[in-house]
Structures are given as structure tokens and as C-alpha cells.
Amino acid sequence: MTGIAIIGAGRIGQIHAANLHQHPLAEVVCVSDVFDAAASRLAEACEASVASVDELLDDARVEAVVIASSTDSHAELIRRSAEAGKAIFCEKPLDLDVAAAEQSLSIAAKNDVLLCLGFNRRHDPSFDAIKAKIDGGQVGDVEVVSITSRDPAPPPVEYIGRSGGLFRDMMIHDFDMGRWLLGEEIVEVFAYGGALIDDAIGKAGDVDTAVAVLRTGNGRLCQITNSRRCSYGYDQRIEVFGAKGMVRADNHTATSVEVASKDGFTTDEALPFFLERYRDAYRLQLDKFLRVVRGERVNIPLGIDGLQALKIADAAQQSCDEGRPVRV
Amino acid sequence: MTGIAIIGAGRIGQIHAANLHQHPLAEVVCVSDVFDAAASRLAEACEASVASVDELLDDARVEAVVIASSTDSHAELIRRSAEAGKAIFCEKPLDLDVAAAEQSLSIAAKNDVLLCLGFNRRHDPSFDAIKAKIDGGQVGDVEVVSITSRDPAPPPVEYIGRSGGLFRDMMIHDFDMGRWLLGEEIVEVFAYGGALIDDAIGKAGDVDTAVAVLRTGNGRLCQITNSRRCSYGYDQRIEVFGAKGMVRADNHTATSVEVASKDGFTTDEALPFFLERYRDAYRLQLDKFLRVVRGERVNIPLGIDGLQALKIADAAQQSCDEGRPVRV
Amino acid sequence: MTGIAIIGAGRIGQIHAANLHQHPLAEVVCVSDVFDAAASRLAEACEASVASVDELLDDARVEAVVIASSTDSHAELIRRSAEAGKAIFCEKPLDLDVAAAEQSLSIAAKNDVLLCLGFNRRHDPSFDAIKAKIDGGQVGDVEVVSITSRDPAPPPVEYIGRSGGLFRDMMIHDFDMGRWLLGEEIVEVFAYGGALIDDAIGKAGDVDTAVAVLRTGNGRLCQITNSRRCSYGYDQRIEVFGAKGMVRADNHTATSVEVASKDGFTTDEALPFFLERYRDAYRLQLDKFLRVVRGERVNIPLGIDGLQALKIADAAQQSCDEGRPVRV
Amino acid sequence: MTGIAIIGAGRIGQIHAANLHQHPLAEVVCVSDVFDAAASRLAEACEASVASVDELLDDARVEAVVIASSTDSHAELIRRSAEAGKAIFCEKPLDLDVAAAEQSLSIAAKNDVLLCLGFNRRHDPSFDAIKAKIDGGQVGDVEVVSITSRDPAPPPVEYIGRSGGLFRDMMIHDFDMGRWLLGEEIVEVFAYGGALIDDAIGKAGDVDTAVAVLRTGNGRLCQITNSRRCSYGYDQRIEVFGAKGMVRADNHTATSVEVASKDGFTTDEALPFFLERYRDAYRLQLDKFLRVVRGERVNIPLGIDGLQALKIADAAQQSCDEGRPVRV
């Protein structure tokens, strides 16, 4: 059993805790949160104790920490965890600031601890199968990756303000997927964005609709479309086109049911949001993290992946602001 | 050019006339119908003359006749056309009476004329592709054929009365398809039917809903479901299951458009009825007939196929009436 | 928490144990099996103790028993559990003998204990959604139910011998589904079957391929096709046709991925077998059982449903043997 | 009957001639081509005479001309046809030079003749249904249009040289579709392109793979991906996303057949190329042109649409060359 501490008992922390609680190789040792009640509730649910960050870093049973607290606490928690020699799983983003993210990576390296990043989508069985088919040669040389990512409804405008903006908060997942599936570093980005859904988002200085195009050093391309609102559920699709063919993953639905009537043939809407769509991905993500901690060689996104995606997001934001392509 | 006379200027006769008029190897020489006005209209549309049956059988330019008149005239027209040495394409059914159908076959044979039958579905590109895949070995030994066939709306009750009943009028197409795809003769049939849609159909002595199961000498099976009413268009599907896999053809739609909304993903209803669904099949059917007339070796349903399907239909009707399986 | 004893630590018992172990309202108190090692292994996995049947029926903590032992033990275990006042969840079939099944029902009734039956498919979210759409009126009056059910590969011939035959062992699930979706009792059955896959199955007195048609008192129809072998996975589809439309559930796949190449567009094969296809159904089934035990009103298949399905299976077997429709 | 002259007897001229020959309201009066043999063959096929351009413009029976000759002849033929008072249907592009295209428009306007442009895709029933659903409000305010357009194989490099480049030759169709579906003028374009398929294309100064993003004055967006090579046929898809939902058209296939095997479920590849994919569109396009010539009010792309698409293509080419967004 690998002892784990969970820092952050919010929505994401709860998902991680439940997955770890059910995992035969993990033991949730303790839970920490700035709100005591939240920590207690989650600790009880996974038969763990409540602990402060000091206490959990000091606890020899804790081999690894899962950081699911607010973004502005990530850098400090990574630093302290690294110095305490704990393996680290950190939710995305590492930080909203590239310099801080770089420092997190160097501290983890200096202390020789594992720093994994919560890019959950890489673990989705459908997207993972796309990657496997690329690696297996079924697509041939990859030429264009197309990613569609639409949330069901915008977050509260208060959240928008501290989110870092659509590119760093939402499209960052797609930047990581594009980079991963292209198999090369992105060298330049161009992005258009606007507040087509809600003026309040525009007044808060952000966009709610955006498209971006990415280019690698070898001229491979990626196009991404994001929207903060989608009537038919959480729209999550990827298509990879190459010399030998194309592979795509369509949305997932709750059932395989189709209704036929005079209005045509109707299937379910897409699954509502990330908790449903990426249920398996969240579970598999921590399973892989555990296996890496225990010494297996498993592919899993690391700190460097979080850093690279953040750099692309910064470039996209700048491109959108200045109306020109920006080098990463 | 092959000279052709069309007998019967109704709905089906018009389809055949239009397809022949556009065919580079066919010349519609004349049109005949018991209603002069209908004959004139159709003759004009395909730049042909009007003729009586006597005249057209006497006309040396007429190499082949297309019989699209009412079912009760088929036997007599086949006899006379055969005696006049014309190649014959006859709409289904040959006749509602097996003895009459058998006599038609023997007269055609005695006069050594071609007698083709209008089982249009065999020429549908989707169903034809199923047959090709079976013949190409992709399904392995065929074990079970499943056919779904539903009309959009019941015909007038007056039509029901003279149609020979659902089994001889509607399911006869499916009996032919089942026999063709199984690649063996049907030896026994069991059928259930009822008037679930319209009591008037039941009072007219017919059923509007039926399922049948067919068995070949080697124990291969076919199941068929028919309905005289279908809210989502003309439902025409076939599935063939075998040792190595399955092949199926789904309904055809007018467009490839899908609408996504909070109610899910909706595609078009099925094409409305046989004129739309089997447009290509009708065209290809006469093209093949022409090629056979001109000496090519092409697979096309013959009189014997019409006779065998009629025998299965008789057995199915008897099974439905008597509540027991009936040998064909 | 509801205390539960699991009798039978084989493949199905293990599924039930895992689902109960993870359920927040259930506590697996003990496990029993004729093989001690199997009982120990499963007891350990779900943090329970090992017990003999005598002991567990005597244990006051055990409110309910889950019977997942071999079919020939069901009747006796139901009797003893009922007399001990335990709520009962029994795997299908109740028994291979109708009289024994009837006695089980009457003993449960006399002792006023709940007797639920493990028709897992009713709890599948896709099939459950079909039922909900029927009940919600989207299909209109149901006229024809069509069920396709194909196993990936035949069981060992030894199993065939004691299984009761395809109709009682495999198609019994479909009989239950047909009856449930038609919403009426089946009054008559006709079935064709044969050993098209493996002669050894035929020599063991069973069939490996079968189609059946069922009729209700009001003339509603159900058609079923079964095969013991299917190259593309575990083929589980249902279609319900009615006055206002049609609703169908297609197979489930592991991912939503589609590969496009010169050979066309290819999606995943169907999920391999029941453990994968009905994973959710097994979980939901025991959740509902627990809720019924705890006093909620929840629809769940009962002993009577097992009995009715068995009677239909007997009739189908007789029909197949004697070549005539048989009243249920 | 409307008398029509066809100028250009190549592949496209032949399609137009066949469609006009079968149209009940059109009469192909004469055919003209720089190659006499080509003109003769096509004239014979549609029962017309051969004529020089001088002769056909002088022929009072010719009410309309269909210009399907090489691009460099379009401007001159439009000028002369306009001055002769003929209604004009011109294949895309009007010209490779914006000034020349503008002059064509002004000459047509001055002579008060109809100048229609052959943007065939607008007449495709699936894309037309998308437009109808947008206009019917099913999508809500349109926010993002996504267009995928991939040819099966690159044209000869000689053709590339005189084609005007991918943006003016191939993506020009998508620019027109994007503009049409967004319902607003495009104000800015950004494009990335490269020769990922064939170095020879790059050496000829063109690209074979490109993505572009377009923005309207109101900030609506369009993303386009083009490739000159596609293993699975002619990939032609459009998706329109808006406030209330999404509508998309998938590829068309030759049949509705699906094969199931241990490798999964496989449907047909996309139709091979534009002759098959846009067969209906070509027919409907000339039908609409004829109806406009005869005085009906029908929506059909005009010279101005050709000009606007060309301006977008020029901007895209410049963007790709200079690495910056370009105003249209």
C-alpha cells in the first residue's frame, strides 16, 4: 500500500479521494483543507485522518501528496512537498505564471521527486486509444490535429476573474492534447477570441469563444475550438489526420439508445460535464500515478508538460490580445 | 438500341418508362394501357407511340416487353408475349395463384423467352453489397438473416382486398430477399400476424403486422418483421449473421445532416417510401434486364424466383391462418 | 447498513461481492461456498468472514442473502433462507424445473420474505431507458419487440449438458426482456433451433442457434435471435416498435474511436462479454435490491418473473423439439 | 425551353451538358471548345451542334451561356457574353485576379445580364439543409463554423502551377461556404500552410496542407482545414455551432452497409471525389440557374460571391506567405 495525503477537499479533491480510497494499492492517510469542515467530511468518507500541511509532510506514512487546492497555492505546496521528499501529483495548472512553474520544476528536480500533472484527458480511454493508434502507425505521419472542446455553461464571472482567462484555464487542456498527439513541440500560435455568449465575460477581460491554430517546427498543425457554452452537453472531440488515414473520438453518451419518430432518429446528448465524461480518466490517472510511484515505467504527464502547455497558453493569450501570431 | 414496349402506365410503369427513356441502350417504342389517356401521357413523356397489346406484340421493333399492369393481367400478358417471342420483364407478383405462375414459367420456357421478375430490392446498392460480401466470404457460412420491412402507411382498404394479403403483397419481397441471401431453398415457414394498426384491415381478412420465421433444409434461419405503418419513414433494413461476422444495411436518409441540441443528436428520418428508397434499384434493375436481353450474363431474378417467393407466401398465409408451421 | 451474506464465491458471486463491498449502505457479513478456498479468498477481498450456510442463516446481522451458487442448489437455499426470514436475491434461473420454482415462490410468500431474481439486463441503463421511453409514451402502443442476443463463444460442452439447454440457460434472459417490454404475458411461443456452430452441441442434445417468436394475448409480438458464437463481441441489442415510433439500443463499445482508412470507417467491436457489457447493470441491480430491502418502492424483477420466464423457456424448448407452437 | 450554349467540353463541361440535356426546361443549342474533337463528342452526346464562340453569341436561340473553359478565358468570355446580352453561368473562379473579377462584375451589371457562379457546394442537399436549419433558427446565433475539405489525391504538379495555389483553387470553396453560413462578411484571415505531402508541390511554390481561421466584423469565427490527399475518399464535412445548438453534415457513402467482425464495425469509405459527392449539387445548381433565367426568385451564388471569395483567398495566401493575419 502506498500512503497518500490529499491537499484540497473541494470537487476535484473529492474525486481523487474516492478513486484512491477504492484503489487496492493506495491508502489515503490524511486529508488537508483550509476549511476544517471540508477536510473532516472528506477524511471521514475515505477513512482517513485530518491533518495540517505541516503534519502531513512530517508523516512518514505519506509517500505521495495529491495537490488539489486552489491554483495560487500550488507552487508553495510543490516546493514544500519536494523538500519533504514526497512524490507529487498536482492538479493543472502548475501556476498561472511561467516563472513560478519553472521554479516548481527545478525544485522537484533538485530534490529528485516525481512531479506529475493532472492532465486528466490523456487518460481517457478514447483519447488514449487515439494515441495508441498513432503510435501503432495507423494514421501515418500526423499532419493536422483538430480539437473541439465546449463546456456546457460558463462559470460564474467571479471565477473568470481569477481563472487566468480561457486560454490558461480551459484551452490549456487542448494545448496539452495537441502537443501530445502531434508528438512535437509547438513553436507558434495564433488565436482569435471574443465574448459572443456573455458581455459580462468580456467586461471581465476574458473571452468565451475562441479558435486557435498551432504550428510545430516541422509544420504540423493543430486547430482548436473552445466555447464556454454548449446546449448539447460537454462537447469533447478529437480528430487526428495523417498520411495513411484519420482517427477520431466522438462524444460519449449515457446510453446507446436511439429513438425513431417522424422527427428522425435521435440519440442521447453528450455526457453533461467533466465528472461524467472523464470518470474513467480520473480513475486511471491516479492508478498510473500510483504505479509510477511504485516504480513501474508508465507514461504520465509530468511537470514539464504543464509548463509547456502554460507557455502555449501565454502565447495564445498574447496572440488574441495583439492580433498576431506569437512564438512559444 | 433495344426496342421496348411498356404495358401499364401507372405509377410503376412510369418509373420504368423514365428509366428506359434515359438509358442509352433502350428505346421505348410504345406504351399500352387500358386507360387511353394514361397511355398517351406516358408515351409523350418518353417520345414513344401508343399501341394496343395486339399491335405491340406484332411490332418487330419491340424486342422486349415490360409488364407493369394489374396483377390479374400478368399471366395472360406473359403467355401472349412469350408466344410472340418477346423477352419479358414482369412486375411482381407473377400471379396470386401458384398454378397460374407455374404455367407462366412453363410457357416462357417452351417459347424459349427470357422471363425476368421485378424484385427491385435485389438491385439496391446496399443490399447488393451485402450479397457481394456474403459471396466474398466476409460473413462466413450464413446462419441467420433478419429482415425489417415497414411501410410508412397502410394502403386503402379497397387495395387490401385485392392485394392477396400482406404475405403475398408485401412480405413476398422479404421472402425473396431471405431466400436469395440464405442461398438455399426455404423448406418451412411459421408466421404470426394480426391487425394491430387498423381494425378495418382485420375485417377485410388481412393482417397489418406480422413476423415470420423461415427454415432451409440445412437449418439456416430467417426472421422477418413487417408493419403496414411506420412513423419514421419506409423502414428497410437487412442483417445477415454468420460464422465469421455480420453485415447489415441501415435505412437511407435524404441528407447526412445531424442536429445537436439539448434533446440530443438527431438525424433525418428514413426516406419516405419505395420511390425514393429504391430509385437507384429501379434504374439498375432495368439496366440489368437490358444487358441480359442483349446477351450479357448478369444475375437477375427470374420467373422461378417469383414462383418460389409466392409458394413461401402461400405457406406463410396458411401458417398464420392455422397456427402451425407449414412446409413450402 | 444492511448486513448481507453471499452464498457462492464463483464468477457471479465475486461480482456481487465487489459491488456490495463498495456500496455505502451494504455490509458483506460473510461468504459461503462449497469450496473453502474460494470462500476464504472472496471473504478476504470484501473484509467479511467465512461461514457455513447454517451459520449465516443463524447470524442476526445477516438481513439478506445473495444466492449465487449452482442452479441445483437454488431451491433448497431459497427454502431455508425464507424460513430463516432473510430477504433473498437469487441468481437466475430459480430452477430448471417449473414445479420447484413454483414451490420456491410459495415458500417465500408463506414466510413473507422478499424474493428477487437476478435478471441483470433489466438494470442496464440503455435497456432501462427503452422501458422508460415506452412508459413515457414515446413509442405509442408497443407492437413488436425484436431482441438480438449472441454470446462471443460457446461454453464448454460439459456446461451445455447441465445448463438446461439454450432456451432455459441463455434465451431465458430474452424471454424476460420481451415480456417486460411488451407489458403483457406471453401466451404462445414458436421456436426453431439447430446446432449450426458445433456438432458436439447437437450431440449433447442442445442447439447453438435459435430464433423464437412470442405472442401475447392481445397479439403483440416478440422475435428473438440467439447464437452461442459471435465474432464481433457480445451482441446485445433490443428494438421496440410501436404506433408512434421505434426505440432501440445498440451495442456498447469500449471507446468512441473511429478509424478512417482506404477500407472505410471502423469503430470498436462490441464489448467482449457480460462482465463488461453489464458492469453497470450488476451494480445497479444490487443497489435496487438493497433499497427494496430497506423499504423503498423500486421496480425490480421478482420470483414470479423468474417463474414466467422459465415457463416460456419450457414452451420454447418443446416447440423446438416438436416443431409446433406451444402455449405457455 | 431555354436555349443554352456550353463553352468548354472538359470534365466539368460534360457534367453540365449531361444535366442540361436531361432537364425538361433546357435545350443545349451548341457546344464550343478549343479542341474540335472534344466539342464534337459532347455536342453529339447532347444532341446539339458545334459552334465557335462568335457563332454562339450571335445565335438568337442561345439565351444563356455556361462557361466551363479554362480559368484564364473566363474574363473575356464573360465580357463578350454580357455584351451579347446572354445570361451567364461561370465556373469558379471568376478569375485569379481580383481586378479582372471586379471588371467582369461591372460589365455584367452595365449590360444588365445575370452572372451566376458555380459554387456547386451550396446546392448540395446536406449543406443546403444546414443553411435551412440556421435560417430556421435551430442553431441560434451562429458563433463558429468548422469546415473540413480534403481531396483524395493531389493534382499533377503542372496543374498546381497554373491553379493559383491551394487557397484560390481549393479553399476558395470553403471561403464561400464559411461566408455563406456565417451570414456576414469576413474581415480578416489567418492561415498556416505547408507542403507536408509532396515536396514537389512545395517547390512549385504551393502548399498541400493548410488551416485557416476567418473572422467577421461581429467576431464570428470560421476554421477551415484542407489537405490535397486523403486515404478514405473525398472528405467533405461542415459543422455550424451556435447559441442554441450545432448542426453538422458528415461524409456521404455509396451504401448504408456495415460489416461487423473481430476487427469492429466498418462502414464504407467516403465517396471518392466531387463527381460522386456533388452529383446532386451539380444537377440542382443548373436547375436553379435555369429557374433564375426564367424569372423565378431563387437563391444562387452570383458574381459578387465569386469576387468576395477570391478576396478572402488572396488574403489567406498573403497571410500564409507573410505569417500574419490579413484584412480582406
Side-chain angles (χ1 to χ4, degrees), chain A residues 141-144 146-148 150 188-190 192-194 196-197 209-215 218-227 229-232 235 237 239 241-246 248 250-251 323-326, chain D residues 141-144 146-148 150 188-190 192-194 196-197 209-215 218-227 229-232 235 237 239 241-246 248 250-251 323-326:
Chain A
D141 284 342
V142 171
E143 292 161 3
V144 181
S146 302
I147 303 177
T148 301
R150 292 164 179 150
E188 197 181 80
V189 184
F190 181 81
Y192 276 136
L196 301 183
I197 299 167
T209 303
V211 299
V213 284
L214 286 59
R215 195 164 54 80
N218 285 319
R220 299 176 176 198
L221 302 166
C222 174
Q223 49 177 199
I224 299 169
T225 181
N226 270 193
S227 174
R229 178 258 297 116
C230 182
S231 70
Y232 50 92
D235 191 357
R237 286 173 287 154
E239 169 177 325
F241 176 78
K244 288 171 66 178
M246 187 260 281
R248 59 178 168 181
D250 206 341
N251 283 304
R324 60 177 186 87
V326 173
Chain D
D141 285 341
V142 172
E143 291 161 4
V144 181
S146 302
I147 303 178
T148 300
R150 292 165 180 151
E188 199 180 80
V189 184
F190 181 82
Y192 276 136
L196 302 184
I197 300 167
T209 303
V211 300
V213 284
L214 287 59
R215 195 165 54 80
N218 285 319
R220 298 176 177 197
L221 301 166
C222 175
Q223 48 177 200
I224 299 170
T225 182
N226 270 192
S227 174
R229 179 257 299 115
C230 183
S231 70
Y232 49 93
D235 191 357
R237 287 173 287 153
E239 168 176 326
F241 177 77
K244 289 171 67 177
M246 185 262 280
R248 60 176 168 181
D250 207 340
N251 283 306
R324 61 177 186 86
V326 174

Side-chain angles (χ1 to χ4, degrees), chain B residues 220-253:
Chain B
R220 298 177 177 197
L221 302 167
C222 175
Q223 48 177 199
I224 300 169
T225 181
N226 270 193
S227 174
R228 286 285 196 186
R229 178 258 297 118
C230 182
S231 70
Y232 50 93
Y234 185 44
D235 191 356
Q236 297 285 295
R237 286 173 286 155
I238 292 181
E239 169 177 325
V240 179
F241 176 78
K244 288 172 66 178
M246 185 260 282
V247 55
R248 60 178 168 180
D250 207 341
N251 284 304
H252 292 196
T253 55

Side-chain angles (χ1 to χ4, degrees), chain C residues 201-213:
Chain C
I201 293 175
K203 282 175 189 149
D206 199 4
V207 298
D208 53 33
T209 304
V211 301
V213 285

Side-chain angles (χ1 to χ4, degrees), chain D residues 52-113:
Chain D
S52 69
V53 172
D54 284 340
E55 286 165 349
L56 68 88
L57 291 178
D58 225 41
D59 190 329
R61 293 171 303 168
V62 173
E63 288 176 66
V65 296
V66 167
I67 301 176
S69 51
S70 63
T71 299
D72 57 9
S73 68
H74 288 184
E76 171 72 1
L77 288 168
I78 290 172
R79 185 185 61 75
R80 295 188 58 193
S81 302
E83 287 170 358
K86 312 295 189 191
I88 303 166
F89 175 92
C90 184
E91 262 308 311
K92 68 98 211 170
L94 276 176
D95 200 282
L96 294 180
D97 179 70
V98 164
E102 281 174 336
Q103 196 164 11
S104 290
L105 262 68
S106 79
I107 288 170
K110 201 173 69 185
N111 288 283
D112 198 23
V113 301

Side-chain angles (χ1 to χ4, degrees), chain B residues 143 150 188 190 192 215 221 223-225 227 229 231-232 237 239 241-246 248 323 325, chain C residues 143 150 188 190 192 215 223-225 227 229 231-232 237 239 241-246 248 250 323 325:
Chain B
E143 292 161 2
R150 292 163 179 151
E188 197 181 80
F190 181 82
Y192 276 136
R215 195 164 55 79
L221 302 167
Q223 48 177 199
I224 300 169
T225 181
S227 174
R229 178 258 297 118
S231 70
Y232 50 93
R237 286 173 286 155
E239 169 177 325
F241 176 78
K244 288 172 66 178
M246 185 260 282
R248 60 178 168 180
Chain C
E143 292 160 4
R150 292 164 180 151
E188 197 181 80
F190 181 82
Y192 276 136
R215 195 164 54 81
Q223 47 177 201
I224 299 170
T225 182
S227 174
R229 179 256 299 118
S231 70
Y232 50 93
R237 287 174 287 154
E239 169 176 325
F241 177 78
K244 289 170 67 178
M246 185 261 280
R248 58 177 167 181
D250 207 340

